[in-house]
Amino acid sequence: MPHLLIDGGRRLNGTVAIHGAKNAVLPLLAATLLADGESVLHNAPQLSDVEGCLEILSGFGCRTTQEGDTITVCADAADTPSITDELMRKMRSSIVFLGAMMARFGEAHLSYPGGCELGPRPIDLHLAAFRLMGAEIHEEGGQLHAFLPEGRFLGNTVSLSFPSVGATENILLAAVTAKGTTTILNAAREPEIIDLAAYLSACGARIHIDGGTITVEGVERLTACTHTVIPDRIEAATYMAAVAVTGGSAVLERLCPAHIATVLPVFAEMGCRISEFPQQIVLNAPARLNRIPFLRTMPYPGFPTDAAAPLLAAATVANGTSVFVESIFESRYKYVGELARMGAHIKIESRVAIVEGVPSLSGAAVDCTDLRGGAALVIAALAAEGRTVIGELTHLDRGYDHLEDTLTALGARVQRK
Ligand code: UD1
């Protein structure tokens, strides 16, 4: 199994070009199933999660190609409404295919996604919405069998008790070709949802978004289009944390500063100087970061849960004590035990992490426990004295396109062996 070897203590400087967003491209790939003709997605990141989605689409009978950062999908010959158990296990986020599968085939068969590294991953909101929209869903032996007795979803009003990102995407995908109008109340507002709606609208969907209310007037058919995936705001926050923790400076290009409007003030609070330009951010970090007095993760536009682990890693060597509260997922601190091996002082109490900044960390052998926890280990390793050996890289490869190349270009000593 490969490892990342990181020799820490080098100040990072330079330019980073941000890739397309993982969390945008996955639902976009699901959406391609609904359109006639060939969809072209530009700025698609090269990630194992994207490969997994392309395998799922191939399993349906779609024709797919991936060249550089461009993906094409033609779903015209798709005729198999199922996802194998192996692919479901590999990619828990594949549940976002459920709405599109049912809308396209009138039925869907897949295994229940079950739990994941972040704790239980219920899909009750997705299933309740589909039932409200006319679906019959049977769950037995860990398998889900879903049918649309009328062959189409039926528009309805769906009120979400929590603005779930995946449920909002799934309902949107179900609604665009439903019979009648669907209204989603308390919908998630993440930029990735806006991007999905933009692609669907360009394909002919009728979608109106007013804050947390999304109204979709169902249409008979969608026609494929060419779309450019939005930049990855979590990748941007990760590289900002990586540069900041080393006291470095960097220009981050090809990103959307508005999407990280609640992340930037945290870096400012830590003592970084930040200049914003239309698609660029310039970050200059102090020799030692200040603590983060209080950070609570929230649905968008609040502070993103996925950016908390990178910031927490940076806080391990900050001056003073930082407090983090995770309000989205039940179990998001598994990586903290690995940071402790490197000398970090962190106390966890349920969803609260108290991070007492130490003057320095030391390199150690650690394992990624999940995608963003893995990013936290990389950030800690960049700051640590000596060599850190990071294992279980499959987590990192799900979400960071050319991670080592990017860090190496910034002056880090990183090798994969
Ligand atoms: C997406 C992102 C993930 C991010 C998360 C929150 C993708 C592929 N993943 O995940 O990176 O961390 O949004 O911003 O885009 N919940 C239920 N029942 C449901 C659905 C969700 O209880 O039916 C709960 C979850 O357990 C969790 C919370 O709602 O505690 C948020 O989940 P959700 O917004 O659905 O996140 P995902 O779409 O899974």
Side-chain angles (χ1 to χ4, degrees):
M1 290 302 243
H3 288 79
L4 273 190
L5 314 185
I6 301 183
D7 294 315
R10 295 167 67 87
R11 187 173 293 170
L12 301 193
N13 286 298
T15 301
V16 183
I18 299 303
H19 297 93
K22 170 181 92 70
N23 287 353
V25 77
L26 304 185
L28 285 169
L29 287 169
T32 60
L33 192 57
L34 299 176
D36 296 339
E38 185 178 82
S39 290
V40 181
L41 300 179
H42 292 305
N43 201 33
Q46 294 175 34
L47 303 169
S48 61
D49 263 10
V50 171
E51 282 167 25
C53 281
L54 294 176
E55 272 183 63
I56 289 174
L57 287 168
S58 301
F60 296 148
C62 300
R63 193 167 41 74
T64 69
T65 66
Q66 184 178 24
E67 266 175 48
D69 68 357
T70 298
I71 291 175
T72 65
V73 182
C74 178
D76 289 351
D79 60 359
T80 309
S82 59
I83 302 179
T84 62
D85 193 44
E86 191 196 340
L87 277 172
M88 280 305 289
R89 281 177 197 279
K90 201 150 102 185
M91 279 202 54
R92 303 216 183 259
S93 47
S94 48
I95 195 65
V96 78
F97 279 91
L98 184 55
M101 279 167 86
M102 280 200 279
R104 169 65 196 257
F105 302 116
E107 60 177 311
H109 309 277
L110 40 80
S111 56
Y112 205 87
C116 78
E117 310 86 34
L118 309 183
R121 210 80 189 245
I123 53 165
D124 53 318
L125 299 174
H126 305 236
L127 301 187
F130 291 148
R131 287 187 170 116
L132 264 179
M133 296 174 73
E136 275 184 25
I137 304 171
H138 306 285
E139 302 166 56
E140 54 178 65
Q143 298 290 312
L144 276 178
H145 301 285
F147 303 89
L148 292 175
E150 303 216 13
R152 273 177 93 178
F153 278 108
L154 309 176
N156 204 340
T157 297
V158 180
S159 183
L160 293 174
S161 56
F162 179 88
S164 155
V165 174
T168 302
E169 290 164 349
N170 244 331
I171 300 165
L172 195 51
L173 290 166
V176 284
T177 55
K179 191 170 157 199
T181 300
T182 302
T183 306
I184 314 172
L185 303 175
N186 196 25
R189 305 172 184 206
E190 270 67 3
E192 293 75 21
I193 287 164
I194 308 301
D195 198 38
L196 175 63
Y199 164 83
L200 290 167
S201 299
C203 292
R206 297 213 185 113
I207 302 170
H208 178 73
I209 300 183
D210 181 9
T213 302
I214 302 181
T215 310
V216 185
E217 213 184 300
V219 296
E220 290 286 332
R221 54 195 316 121
L222 297 181
T223 308
C225 72
T226 295
H227 180 81
T228 300
V229 180
I230 56 167
D232 196 317
R233 60 200 169 98
I234 308 301
E235 188 195 24
T238 302
Y239 287 125
M240 288 177 76
V243 171
V245 81
T246 68
S249 59
V251 179
L252 290 101
E253 293 180 337
R254 301 185 63 189
L255 52 68
C256 179
H259 292 171
I260 45 173
T262 45
V263 175
L264 297 179
V266 179
F267 283 100
E269 203 169 29
M270 294 179 98
C272 298
R273 267 189 296 117
I274 292 168
S275 312
E276 271 181 61
F277 301 94
Q279 292 188 321
Q280 203 184 68
I281 280 171
V282 181
L283 176 134
N284 285 285
R288 187 169 186 200
L289 294 168
N290 300 331
R291 72 194 185 103
I292 303 171
F294 186 79
L295 188 157
R296 181 194 293 273
T297 65
M298 297 284 277
Y300 192 82
F303 190 95
T305 172
D306 290 349
L311 266 294
L312 189 148
T316 60
V317 287
N319 193 4
T321 300
S322 303
V323 177
F324 291 75
V325 178
E326 169 57 41
S327 59
I328 310 290
F329 288 102
E330 245 172 62
S331 166
R332 252 217 123 145
Y333 292 126
K334 293 202 174 125
Y335 63 97
V336 157
E338 301 300 293
L339 289 177
R341 289 168 171 263
M342 301 174 71
H345 287 186
I346 305 167
K347 288 198 185 89
I348 303 292
E349 181 72 44
S350 177
R351 292 182 180 228
V352 179
I354 297 168
V355 184
E356 192 192 316
V358 293
S360 65
L361 299 174
S362 47
V366 290
D367 281 332
C368 300
T369 54
D370 62 271
L371 168 57
R372 305 305 169 186
L377 299 182
V378 170
I379 290 161
L382 292 167
E385 286 169 11
R387 174 167 286 191
T388 299
V389 179
I390 306 179
E392 299 295 341
L393 302 181
T394 48
H395 294 291
L396 273 174
D397 294 338
R398 286 184 40 230
Y400 292 96
D401 187 341
H402 289 90
L403 175 72
E404 300 95 277
D405 296 346
T406 307
L407 292 173
T408 302
L410 287 170
R413 282 229 175 100
V414 186
Q415 309 166 56
R416 184 181 288 240
K417 270 195 182 157

